Amino acid sequence: VHRLDRETSGVIVAAKTDKAYWQLVTQFHDHKVYKEYLALVHGCVKDNEATINQPIGRHKDGGTGMQIRGRLSREAITSYCVEKRIDQGYTLLRVQIHTGRTHQIRVHLKYIGHPIVGDKRYGYKDQSFQRQALHAHILGISNPETGEYMQFIAPLPEDMEAMIEQCQNS
């Protein structure tokens, strides 16, 4: 029904029937799905919470990358709040996307100067983490059969927990 970037961990939903598939696709299309992520970013994010409202489109070079105000840009809205500031110049953010653009969180966090740790495309060329430290933490949908709201939570994965622990103890 939807996808995560290759190196993003966390919860996803799959449909068992065609009817469920189309009902879920409609929920995603109409932005009626609650999506919350955890992102470990470089730097100390100053604002405790903020909203980034910048259109995202294809990179001008024609590749698979995305950028702010790129070719065929479309509205993209991301909000975040600080979950934890970590001693060694990192911040753990709780991120909610209100639109669903390709690489939206990664592009928006780079735009504000706080790229995701380990993000080889939009971040620094460091080797501090083996993948992008982005995790789909909560997914809320309406049950395609009953309409009842359902929420699924994926706990922070061990590799991200270990990275946070390492940063706090360095």
Side-chain angles (χ1 to χ4, degrees):
V1 174
H2 70 117
R3 63 179 179 77
L4 297 175
D5 292 340
R6 181 179 308 169
E7 294 184 351
T8 300
S9 59
V11 65
I12 62 171
V13 64
K16 287 185 170 184
T17 67
D18 282 345
K19 178 183 175 187
Y21 172 80
W22 288 111
Q23 288 182 350
L24 290 167
V25 165
T26 300
Q27 287 181 51
F28 277 92
H29 178 268
D30 295 344
H31 307 292
K32 294 186 176 178
V33 175
Y34 179 79
K35 296 178 268 186
E36 185 177 288
Y37 295 77
L38 294 172
L40 183 62
V41 300
H42 287 279
C44 181
V45 177
K46 292 179 183 159
D47 295 328
N48 286 331
E49 57 184 51
T51 298
I52 307 162
N53 186 349
Q54 290 291 328
I56 294 176
R58 294 272 170 210
H59 198 275
K60 63 186 174 195
D61 68 9
T64 58
M66 305 299 279
Q67 68 182 45
I68 300 295
R69 293 185 205 85
R71 290 184 306 111
L72 305 173
S73 291
R74 294 173 62 197
E75 178 184 48
I77 302 170
T78 304
S79 59
Y80 69 83
C81 66
V82 171
E83 182 76 12
K84 178 188 263 186
R85 289 182 180 89
I86 302 166
D87 297 340
Q88 298 299 312
Y90 298 97
T91 306
L92 181 64
L93 297 177
R94 190 173 289 274
V95 181
Q96 185 179 2
I97 56 175
H98 305 282
T99 52
R101 305 292 166 243
T102 301
H103 303 169
Q104 178 174 326
I105 295 171
R106 297 164 64 196
V107 171
H108 273 170
L109 292 177
K110 175 187 177 183
Y111 174 76
I112 65 167
H114 296 286
I116 296 172
V117 170
D119 189 338
K120 295 168 189 70
R121 178 173 295 217
Y122 301 105
Y124 303 129
K125 302 292 182 206
D126 64 14
Q127 298 297 318
S128 60
F129 199 63
Q130 295 303 308
R131 65 175 182 90
Q132 62 204 22
L134 181 61
H135 177 69
H137 181 54
I138 300 173
L139 181 66
I141 60 170
S142 294
N143 183 307
E145 295 293 325
T146 67
E148 178 185 358
Y149 180 74
M150 302 169 20
Q151 195 171 76
F152 304 94
I153 299 173
L156 197 62
E158 290 180 11
D159 61 348
M160 284 181 68
E161 284 206 25
M163 178 67 181
I164 292 167
E165 180 82 19
Q166 176 185 342
C167 293
Q168 288 176 323
N169 294 328
S170 294

